[in-house]
Amino acid sequence: RESCDTFTRTMSGGKAEEVTWEDQQHICAFGRFNTRVHEVNAELKAKAKMAEDLEEASNELIITDDDSVRFGVGETFVLVENDDAETMLEKLLAETNAEVDALELEKKELQSGMAELKEKLYKKFGNSINLEE
């Protein structure tokens, strides 16, 4: 009778390999990292679209003839002077770029952790484990 913490898996070569609690934790961590990488990719895509929209708004602001424009704040629009709107757009763009940088760093760290876990798990289990997306 096997304990709850470990079980034996017969590998394709006929060799039995014990899956320990630590192995299970590594597999679960890999899954969590992989899920978060997908979430980060979606966030990066949204941030890239936001940065593109902010750049476009900034360009439109340059060519407008009006002295003031409607600037979106939450769900409302506020009438602001062009110079103020330009400053606000630059601030939003800087914040968005900082968020993108933070997400890129997180993605690199996650991918590094995934590569480390992949190496450990493939070393032990070979082709009997699939850690691809």
Side-chain angles (χ1 to χ4, degrees), residues 34-80:
N34 189 41
T35 299
R36 182 63 187 146
V37 165
H38 288 284
E39 291 170 354
V40 167
N41 284 336
E43 289 178 43
L44 282 169
K45 186 177 179 180
K47 295 292 180 189
K49 174 73 171 120
M50 179 180 239
E52 182 182 319
D53 291 347
L54 290 170
E55 285 287 341
E56 186 177 322
S58 182
N59 291 338
E60 289 293 323
L61 189 59
I62 291 170
I63 62 172
T64 189
D65 291 334
D66 299 332
D67 292 333
S68 59
V69 293
R70 290 184 179 91
F71 194 89
V73 179
E75 294 182 17
T76 63
F77 289 90
V78 179
L79 200 59
V80 296

Side-chain angles (χ1 to χ4, degrees), residues 9-17 125-129:
R9 178 182 174 104
T10 303
M11 297 177 62
S12 57
K15 178 184 168 196
E17 188 66 48
F125 297 107
N127 292 333
S128 67
I129 190 168

